[in-house]
Amino acid sequence: MIVATVGNVLVWAVWVGAGFACLASAVAVVSFRNPFYSALALIGNLGSLAVLYLLLSSDFVAAAQVLVYAGAVMVMFLFVIAYVGPRMDTPWAGGPGWQSVAAVLAGAALLVEIIVVIGLKAGGRLAHSAAVGDAFGSPRDIGRLFLTDHLLAFEITSIVLLIAAIGGVILGAHSRQPADEVPSL
Amino acid sequence: MTVGAWICLLSPLAGALLITLAGTRISRRTAGYLSTGSVAVAFGGAITSFIGLLGKNGEERDHVSTAWTWLSGGSYRSGFEILVDPLSVMMMLIVSGVGFLIVAYSIGYMDGDKEERRYFAYMALFVFSMLLLVQGGNFLLLLAGWGMVGLSSYLLIGFWHERPSAIAGAKKAFVMNAIGDATMALAFFLIILYTGTLSFDHVFNIVQNGDSGISNSTPINLIALGLLGGAVAKSAQLPLQTWLPDAMEGPTPVSALIHAATMVTAGVYLIVRTHVIFEAAPKVEELAAGLGAGTLLLAGLIALVQTDIKRVIAYSTMSQIGYMFLGVGLGAYANGMFHLMTHAFFKALLFMAAGLVIHALHGEQDIRRMGGLRTLMPRTYLAFLVGGLALVGIFPFSGFFSKDSILAAAMDHGWYGYVLWVAGLAGAFLTGIYTARLFFLVFWGEPSAFVQEHFHKPKRDVVGISLAAPVAALAVLAAIAGWIQFAPLWHPIETWLQTVAEPLVSPAGWQEAVSSVLAVVLGAAGIGVAWLLYGARTRRVPRLAFAQRTLEHKFWFDELYDALFYRPSIRIARGLGRFVENPLIFGSGRELGQETRALGGLLGRAQTGLLRTYALAIASSVAVLALVFVVVR
Amino acid sequence: MLGPSVAWYLSVSAFLFGVGALGVLLRRNPLIVLLSLEIMLNGANLALIAFSRHQGQGDGQIFALAVMAVAASEVVVGLGLIVAMNRKRITLDVDRLNTLRG
């Protein structure tokens, strides 16, 4: 199962590091009281995920992850968090209501199920991955796929982005009238 | 000749449809002309058929003409077929002829009414229905015509629908007719069961030539009873006679046409048409005669105390149809039909003359307020005189010939016949009294205060002519029509109808003579009694309190039916409404709504509006679904 | 393939998904909720990439890129909403936002 070559050991070491960082940062995102810290933890999460993608020979996706996700999306997040101000959420205040307990249970159930499914059903087959050449995961490969097999997805994705951009502009626009004092709901 | 019959049948229908479709685009007078014209065309068609039948001799006078197959199920088949034979042609002539005169009279009588067009459409519809009834070649069409005349009668009685009494009268007529329809329908089911067909030829063949045990057996008795039930209802005989007086709420021409000349005679026609069945059930036939006799006495007695001019004539109608039932119940079919014909003439005449009186007095119908119209309306007086004498049966007017032949026929039927004969003679006496009473009260004496105040003479315009001419024509007919058949000497009507209905009785010459003499004597005696009481007013009218009350309450029949049928029905309906309908049906519906709303409210609590709740719901659902997926796969 | 087999990556992905779900369900600040949503999406992405590598086809990566684009769009709209809410002085607390209750 584990082939003890130098390359293999190196990959394993990187994998353990990146995986740990990934998991730790995910927990951190959910736990921090200050949303600013949560956002920063998410950036770390995204970075470690990029490393994992590289380990999976998906170069383009890793680069896109860093550029788009960690770069653009998270920056947007940080901007808004800074704009909204430091609202300290008290995450675990008020004791675990029935909703919280149920949430934990649901989440745990999901987790267990996924693992069980994968373990039970596909454990054997997941051991051996296909061998891939250099072109796998390269920009050329991705571009070719986008523009031939998945052209429709490409175009629709672009439309979705356009709509989101319009939506963002509309939502963020200043209203002509002065904002009424709407009491908190 | 069948073409003539088809034209006769369909022309009034076309008239009715035209008036209905034209609506307000034609004037009211035009609607009247249209209606009259269509009935006149029908009469022409009837004449054509008559002439056509005359050309043929005996056995060939039976033509069935089928338009198309109307109803077929299994081995049963009914066509839209009309039957042209002597009996149906006779009825066609009477219906379309008298109908034409009456519809023409209506042009003047109903002049000025707001809804004249509707009236004329209904009249044409009625004529069509009656023709369908008499021309139908199978029981199904007969039933169709039967129901439609009931409908037309209802529509026309309730013509002035703002009057509650008119509506009530129409409903009463319709409901009682419906009872008869129900018994007839049951009889038809039995006929189908036993003969497999409803066509006249086939049914009568089977009954006549079928197994010999069919006579007096239960099925044939039941069938005959069912048919008799329908006849009794339609012709207002005992025990279903209470609707006829209330039917006088309709306009006078309606009373003349429907409740004197044609519809109420449908029962007589039915018995004659289906005489084969009745002959196979002799007990029921005797029952028919007995009911006729009972009705004629009952109606004659009640007519003695009536104060409404139309009701007197209505009871007279009831009584005369009793005579017809008596005749056909004894098997004297031709005599019964002859009396039907003469009765149509003089009864329509009486009604129309009464209509002239009512019109002249601006709608007053109470004879106690009338008097002395002899000098003010001389021609009407003459017409009424002719009609009255014909009704009483005085020689040489028409009623004499027809009524006496029925009485003579009663003598040829054994002891039961003699009982009926006595009843018929008593009825003749009563007829004399009430007819003359009416006559004297309305026309003789000095003009009463009411008359002096309200009388107005109709003008000599279209209205006047249309009112006068039919009355004159009918007066002539009532006077001379009887001479068609003078029983011992010449009897063309009997010969005419012989191929259709062979009479069961043939009274001897001396029986005819005795009956005639006695009937005339009794009729004259009745007139004499009435003259003493009402004409010359030499004697006081005898007042027997109990008898008076009974007669005024029409022998308590209305009260009996009210207690027997109406009140229990109301009670049952109320009980059902309270205990079944309200809690079960209405309540369950309402509770269903309430429960649904409560359930909806319950489900509505899931809409908390909180994001977390919804997210939780999604997450748990996904978890559950994944679990299910894993377990199943 | 060198290193752990695809199953290990998949377990990481599952864990990420679960943590993200917990965050969505348990936190009250909508910003944190959006961040947790991002974690869930990333978990899904990882699974997609892993399977793509396992099969040697590039389709999973295409899918992952599309998911990334959609996630970006959704974040734009969500943050726009939060900014608008903030401008209207609405409390940023998902437990208080229940105008849509039925």
Side-chain angles (χ1 to χ4, degrees):
Chain A
M1 194 180 73
I2 300 182
V3 181
T5 62
V6 173
N8 208 17
V9 167
L10 190 59
V11 169
W12 262 103
V14 171
W15 186 90
V16 167
F20 185 72
C22 187
L23 298 176
S25 55
V27 173
V29 166
V30 179
S31 317
F32 277 129
R33 279 176 40 186
N34 195 336
F36 195 74
Y37 296 154
S38 297
L40 292 175
L42 187 59
I43 294 181
N45 191 42
L46 295 172
S48 50
L49 270 178
V51 171
L52 285 177
Y53 291 163
L54 282 174
L55 287 177
L56 286 171
S57 315
S58 309
D59 321 324
F60 184 77
V61 180
Q65 172 95 338
V66 171
L67 283 173
V68 169
Y69 238 131
V73 173
M74 290 320 299
V75 167
M76 202 166 44
F77 251 113
L78 289 170
F79 265 130
V80 172
I81 291 176
Y83 172 73
V84 162
R87 291 179 195 234
M88 305 300 226
D89 185 11
T90 49
W92 317 113
W98 70 271
Q99 287 194 343
S100 311
V101 173
V104 170
L105 279 176
L110 272 173
L111 184 63
V112 165
E113 280 168 10
I114 295 174
I115 293 184
V116 161
V117 164
I118 298 174
L120 276 183
K121 304 289 181 174
R125 281 179 283 151
L126 286 175
H128 304 283
S129 312
V132 290
D134 280 339
F136 180 79
S138 68
R140 183 216 278 185
D141 197 28
I142 301 292
R144 181 181 58 78
L145 281 172
F146 253 136
L147 293 174
T148 53
D149 287 345
H150 301 290
L151 185 58
L152 185 62
F154 183 59
E155 299 298 336
I156 291 180
T157 310
S158 59
I159 292 179
V160 169
L161 286 168
L162 176 67
I163 294 173
I166 297 174
V169 167
I170 292 177
L171 282 172
H174 278 283
S175 51
R176 297 304 168 109
Q177 298 124 356
D180 316 354
E181 274 286 354
V182 179
S184 73
L185 299 165
Chain B
M1 146 207 34
T2 51
V3 173
W6 279 111
I7 292 179
C8 177
L9 177 68
L10 295 175
S11 160
L13 178 66
L17 280 175
L18 271 174
I19 298 177
T20 312
L21 290 173
T24 49
R25 284 189 283 259
I26 54 173
S27 76
R28 296 198 295 254
R29 187 63 63 78
T30 314
Y33 290 147
L34 206 56
S35 187
T36 314
S38 67
V39 181
V41 169
F43 186 58
I47 296 271
T48 318
S49 307
F50 177 62
I51 296 177
L53 274 191
L54 275 182
K56 310 215 180 333
N57 47 5
E59 286 317 303
E60 288 181 13
R61 287 183 176 174
D62 188 334
H63 294 262
V64 175
S65 164
T66 312
W68 66 86
T69 305
W70 188 18
L71 210 65
S72 69
S75 58
Y76 169 78
R77 170 155 304 205
S78 256
F80 197 98
E81 49 192 0
I82 62 170
L83 176 65
V84 182
D85 73 351
L87 179 64
S88 69
V89 166
M90 181 175 176
M91 286 298 292
M92 277 156 67
L93 285 171
I94 296 175
V95 169
S96 54
V98 177
F100 165 67
L101 288 173
I102 295 180
V103 179
Y105 173 85
S106 307
I107 298 181
Y109 193 83
M110 299 297 288
D111 179 64
D113 192 293
K114 283 194 317 288
E115 303 190 11
E116 246 181 275
R117 300 182 194 95
R118 184 162 66 96
Y119 172 85
F120 281 112
Y122 285 164
M123 287 295 257
L125 178 71
F126 169 78
V127 174
F128 163 70
S129 321
M130 191 70 202
L131 287 170
L132 182 65
L133 198 158
V134 301
Q135 278 185 335
N138 54 29
F139 280 106
L140 199 58
L141 280 182
L142 182 103
L143 187 63
W146 197 269
M148 282 179 73
V149 295
L151 171 72
S152 313
S153 164
Y154 166 81
L155 290 172
L156 282 165
I157 295 174
F159 178 70
W160 286 313
H161 51 83
E162 297 96 13
R163 286 196 208 165
S165 54
I167 305 268
K171 272 195 292 196
K172 190 173 181 180
F174 197 73
V175 169
M176 299 199 95
N177 268 300
I179 300 175
D181 294 350
T183 59
M184 274 212 336
L186 289 173
F188 291 166
F189 291 145
L190 282 175
I191 293 178
I192 297 183
L193 188 62
Y194 282 99
T195 61
T197 173
L198 278 184
S199 163
F200 284 148
D201 298 339
H202 295 148
V203 172
F204 297 150
N205 251 334
I206 294 176
V207 172
Q208 246 176 352
N209 309 329
D211 50 276
S212 55
I214 201 175
S215 176
N216 233 338
S217 61
T218 317
I220 203 83
N221 275 335
L222 285 176
I223 294 177
L225 265 180
L227 292 173
L228 181 64
V232 157
K234 190 67 73 179
S235 299
Q237 301 294 289
L238 273 175
L240 293 171
Q241 87 287 8
T242 52
W243 64 270
L244 190 58
D246 291 61
M248 295 298 119
E249 296 286 338
T252 310
V254 170
S255 309
L257 181 60
I258 299 187
H259 305 122
T262 45
M263 186 179 96
V264 290
T265 57
V268 182
Y269 164 77
L270 177 69
I271 298 182
V272 176
R273 174 61 79 195
T274 58
H275 69 95
V276 173
I277 296 180
F278 277 97
E279 280 166 18
K283 291 271 181 287
V284 180
E285 209 171 20
E286 288 187 347
L287 177 65
L291 286 177
T295 311
L296 75 91
L297 283 178
L298 180 93
L301 285 171
I302 299 180
L304 292 175
V305 300
Q306 291 301 312
T307 54
D308 182 321
I309 189 175
K310 281 174 69 175
R311 294 212 179 188
V312 177
I313 309 181
Y315 280 107
S316 165
T317 307
M318 208 191 280
S319 179
Q320 296 302 309
I321 297 177
Y323 270 105
M324 296 179 217
F325 265 63
L326 195 134
V328 298
L330 293 171
Y333 304 118
N335 297 335
M337 291 302 292
F338 182 39
H339 194 56
L340 193 154
M341 187 177 84
T342 58
H343 173 263
F345 296 147
F346 60 68
K347 196 46 65 69
L349 170 66
L350 282 174
F351 262 116
M352 282 154 74
L356 288 176
V357 169
I358 296 173
H359 220 60
L361 291 178
H362 285 287
E364 180 56 51
Q365 292 182 220
D366 191 334
I367 58 180
R368 292 171 297 192
R369 296 202 183 176
M370 302 178 192
L373 286 171
R374 173 175 52 172
T375 45
L376 294 170
M377 308 177 74
R379 278 191 291 257
T380 311
Y381 170 74
L382 195 61
F384 213 93
L385 182 64
V386 170
L389 288 177
L391 173 56
V392 177
I394 304 294
F395 184 89
F397 296 104
S398 55
F400 165 76
F401 299 97
S402 53
K403 193 186 296 191
D404 300 340
S405 58
I406 291 181
L407 289 174
M411 294 174 89
D412 196 29
H413 199 85
W415 69 269
Y416 186 65
Y418 271 101
V419 171
L420 299 176
W421 183 71
V422 169
L425 287 176
F429 179 59
L430 289 173
T431 308
I433 300 184
Y434 68 67
T435 311
R437 166 179 177 266
L438 181 69
F439 184 71
F440 292 133
L441 278 179
V442 174
F443 289 99
W444 277 40
E446 290 305 313
S448 69
F450 183 86
V451 168
Q452 283 170 344
E453 217 178 287
H454 288 97
F455 180 76
H456 86 286
K457 236 186 146 49
K459 303 185 290 293
R460 234 176 222 285
D461 55 356
V462 176
V463 171
I465 294 181
S466 101
L467 284 177
V471 175
L474 278 175
V476 170
L477 279 173
I480 64 168
W483 287 94
I484 289 185
Q485 168 153 309
F486 193 6
L489 303 179
W490 59 93
H491 38 88
I493 291 201
E494 196 167 309
T495 323
W496 174 252
L497 289 178
Q498 203 156 357
T499 53
V500 179
E502 184 83 40
L504 291 181
V505 292
S506 50
W510 68 270
Q511 290 174 321
E512 299 267 358
V514 168
S515 296
S516 304
V517 168
L518 275 178
V520 172
V521 163
L522 283 171
I527 296 180
V529 168
W531 184 77
L532 280 178
L533 292 177
Y534 301 101
R537 298 179 200 253
T538 50
R539 301 275 168 87
R540 293 269 315 272
V541 179
R543 291 228 175 274
L544 303 156
F546 177 69
Q548 176 88 3
R549 258 209 325 273
T550 309
L551 288 182
E552 274 176 8
H553 285 269
K554 301 161 262 178
F555 282 93
W556 312 102
F557 262 98
D558 276 329
E559 285 79 359
L560 177 70
Y561 290 155
D562 187 54
L564 263 186
F565 299 115
Y566 181 69
R567 281 183 207 285
S569 313
I570 297 286
R571 213 170 293 142
I572 293 176
R574 283 218 194 99
L576 280 176
R578 229 173 68 199
F579 294 115
V580 173
E581 184 165 339
N582 253 339
L584 279 186
I585 299 174
F586 182 63
S588 69
R590 190 177 23 164
E591 271 169 32
L592 202 66
Q594 285 172 342
E595 293 295 322
T596 311
R597 246 205 306 252
L599 191 65
L602 202 65
L603 287 174
R605 288 210 257 155
Q607 309 284 334
T608 57
L610 292 176
L611 191 64
R612 293 216 278 167
T613 317
Y614 299 150
L616 178 61
I618 296 174
S620 1
S621 319
V622 170
V624 169
L625 277 174
L627 188 65
V628 167
F629 181 71
V630 165
V631 165
V632 165
R633 295 278 304 258
Chain C
M1 180 169 110
L2 293 175
S5 69
V6 170
W8 292 83
Y9 292 93
L10 290 178
S11 45
V12 171
S13 150
F15 188 82
L16 279 178
F17 190 82
V19 168
L22 275 178
V24 167
L25 293 172
L26 294 178
R27 294 300 298 256
R28 286 187 5 228
N29 192 337
L31 283 164
I32 310 288
V33 169
L34 273 174
L35 289 173
S36 314
L37 215 50
E38 292 304 312
I39 298 177
M40 286 169 79
L41 284 166
N42 277 299
N45 261 358
L46 181 58
L48 278 168
I49 305 289
F51 273 117
S52 156
R53 173 66 183 85
H54 173 63
Q55 299 194 336
Q57 309 267 18
D59 301 326
Q61 301 178 20
I62 305 289
F63 203 157
L65 285 170
V67 168
M68 241 185 266
V70 167
S73 329
E74 160 232 332
V75 162
V76 164
V77 174
L79 290 177
L81 276 175
I82 292 180
V83 164
M85 284 199 303
N86 191 53
R87 241 195 249 133
K88 294 249 189 230
R89 309 271 186 273
I90 297 176
T91 321
L92 287 178
D93 182 347
V94 292
D95 279 348
R96 302 279 198 88
L97 300 168
N98 61 353
T99 324
L100 284 179
R101 83 178 302 160

